[in-house]
Amino acid sequence: RYTTDESEEMLAVTFPLYLPKIQEVLDERKMLRALNLENLFSMEAQCNHEKYIYTETTSQETTPLPEYIVALTVYKNVKPVGEKNGSRDCWIMTKEAKRLIRSLLKALYIFHQHGLCPGKFNESNIVILTGKGKAKFTHITFEAKDDSGILRNYEDTHAILQRILCQQSPDNVPKDINHLLELMSSPRSINMGYVIYTHACLLPLGNRYQFFLQMFEKIMSVLDRAVHQDMLNDVPYGDNWHTILQCNPLLKESFHSCENPYDTNGGSTVFLKFYRNTVVHRMENHGQALVYSNKKKLKYTPEEFEEMLAVTFPLYLPKIQEMLQERKMLRALNLHKLF
């Protein structure tokens, strides 16, 4: 029996120069900086909650939220990699919209961590820092945190996000974003603060890989494999993942190239294994002839691959987050460092 930390400790002392030398090679080829590895060292210190409040004495230029969102592009239409001529009409949230919403939810989370609940607020109590696109609260009062205050705060934030996220077209709201909105409007939000704060729909595409693998390893740390099925009961796609993936050549390649064929009747535990294998080997088919798609060759970035997964299985990461939170297994992963 061992933890993920113990496994990494073993690798570190067995091959101590391996990671440093890979870093050195990538840096010499000017390929290292783009990986943003510094994000893995960031610490969510006990932030002063006042950092998330704007006052007139603050020397920062701001734009009122209602004015800012008029010019904000919330969604962009994407064609998943390998589906240039496909029929799928897919939408994802823009980086700018993610930054805005995540900063608002982070401020709320920090307030709650300090035992505070803002009084009732609306769009007029939010300003956006010029040049940064991040939200701050203004002209608000605070009360001691309690369940009713937390619920009210998320209801108020939900109303603001509805205005932001549905301004282009409610039909284009992706399923993962709807999941976030549903959590915030539910009484369950009282116990789902960390999921809301670190929701997968707000994650930079480049960090989805690490985000999933940390949750995967947490699930695998439960030694009783029989428990896995119970843990994954409420996670979607267990019955039809092998049908859904047929829409994309890279996913088909991953499915058919497995040395031991996947049991399509194996449910959520088999899909978890498929998803893990797919993301770990995601770049192995870059520029290679796809055996199961007429020798097609595709060039793509890690972000484009994750974008394809995000629009194909939009609820997968959020639902795993939710499941782990219910079992009090999520917070220890420190997923907030990946934002």
Side-chain angles (χ1 to χ4, degrees):
R1 296 186 179 189
Y2 55 89
T3 65
T4 53
D5 288 346
E6 288 170 336
S7 178
E8 291 299 329
E9 179 180 80
M10 175 271 293
L11 288 171
V13 298
T14 306
F15 305 108
L17 290 178
Y18 194 56
L19 298 190
K21 282 296 185 180
I22 291 178
Q23 282 184 282
E24 187 177 335
V25 167
L26 291 176
D27 194 46
E28 288 172 351
R29 289 161 175 77
K30 304 189 184 307
M31 298 168 65
L32 185 67
R33 182 63 188 85
L35 300 181
N36 294 320
L37 296 181
E38 70 274 9
N39 290 346
L40 300 180
F41 294 85
S42 63
M43 297 298 292
E44 190 70 31
Q46 278 290 78
C47 298
N48 184 342
H49 73 278
E50 294 179 357
K51 176 181 176 181
Y52 301 94
I53 302 171
Y54 172 81
T55 64
E56 279 71 15
T57 59
T58 307
S59 57
Q60 294 174 305
E61 292 185 15
T62 63
T63 304
L65 177 64
E67 180 182 332
Y68 181 82
I69 63 176
V70 169
L72 178 67
T73 300
V74 180
Y75 303 109
K76 67 174 183 178
N77 188 235
V78 298
K79 278 289 184 184
V81 60
E83 301 177 46
K84 183 177 180 180
N85 299 317
S87 60
R88 284 210 288 170
D89 188 36
C90 303
W91 295 83
I92 62 170
M93 201 188 310
T94 62
K95 292 179 182 179
E96 294 76 16
K98 286 183 179 183
R99 185 184 304 118
L100 166 60
I101 294 168
R102 205 309 174 115
S103 65
L104 181 58
L105 296 178
K106 180 178 181 179
L108 204 57
Y109 182 81
I110 296 298
F111 293 155
H112 292 166
Q113 288 297 103
H114 280 79
L116 300 170
C117 282
K120 192 167 182 60
F121 58 84
N122 56 36
E123 294 173 20
S124 66
N125 299 110
I126 310 295
V127 294
I128 310 302
L129 299 182
T130 302
K132 294 185 177 181
K134 295 184 177 182
K136 282 196 175 188
F137 283 78
T138 187
H139 300 114
I140 55 172
T141 59
F142 286 101
E143 306 166 1
K145 183 181 77 171
D146 58 20
D147 287 354
S148 62
I150 294 173
L151 187 59
R152 184 190 66 241
N153 286 171
Y154 282 125
E155 287 173 346
D156 290 346
T157 308
H158 178 271
I160 293 172
L161 295 195
Q162 282 277 40
R163 165 80 188 278
I164 297 171
L165 294 170
C166 299
Q167 65 172 333
Q168 289 184 359
S169 171
D171 295 335
N172 291 336
V173 179
K175 291 181 180 179
D176 54 349
I177 298 172
N178 271 327
H179 177 263
L180 171 62
L181 292 172
E182 288 166 6
L183 277 182
M184 295 177 65
S185 61
S186 164
R188 298 176 61 227
S189 63
I190 295 170
N191 299 312
M192 285 288 160
Y194 192 70
V195 176
I196 293 170
Y197 163 48
T198 61
H199 198 277
C201 75
L202 304 174
L203 189 68
L205 287 171
N207 291 349
R208 281 175 55 90
Y209 173 91
Q210 186 67 25
F211 191 88
F212 166 74
L213 286 182
Q214 287 185 218
M215 295 194 294
F216 171 81
E217 289 185 341
K218 193 65 175 178
I219 294 170
M220 299 308 294
S221 72
V222 178
L223 293 177
D224 185 354
R225 297 296 188 262
V227 176
H228 289 169
Q229 185 62 53
D230 178 63
M231 291 175 68
L232 295 168
N233 272 344
D234 295 327
V235 177
Y237 311 117
D239 296 330
N240 61 347
W241 61 274
H242 48 89
T243 301
I244 295 173
L245 65 81
Q246 300 301 322
C247 66
N248 186 271
L250 289 173
L251 293 179
K252 283 198 295 185
E253 198 74 12
S254 177
F255 177 77
H256 290 293
S257 60
C258 183
E259 184 175 344
N260 298 309
Y262 293 104
D263 176 7
T264 55
N265 295 315
S268 297
T269 54
V270 177
F271 179 47
L272 180 69
K273 178 182 178 182
F274 166 79
Y275 197 98
R276 178 265 178 196
N277 292 344
T278 298
V279 298
V280 167
H281 301 287
R282 62 186 181 178
M283 297 307 294
E284 290 183 7
N285 289 313
H286 173 71
Q288 303 299 310
L290 301 181
V291 176
Y292 300 94
S293 297
N294 300 318
K295 304 296 182 179
K296 179 188 294 188
K297 292 184 179 181
L298 297 174
K299 292 185 177 182
Y300 54 91
T301 65
E303 288 78 10
E304 288 171 333
F305 193 95
E306 291 298 333
E307 182 179 85
M308 177 270 292
L309 285 174
V311 298
T312 305
F313 303 109
L315 289 176
Y316 197 52
L317 299 192
K319 282 292 189 178
I320 293 179
Q321 280 186 278
E322 188 179 337
M323 176 272 292
L324 289 175
Q325 177 70 7
E326 289 171 347
R327 289 163 175 77
K328 303 188 186 305
M329 298 169 67
L330 185 69
R331 183 61 185 84
L333 299 182
N334 292 322
L335 296 178
H336 56 271
K337 294 181 182 181
L338 297 176
F339 291 82

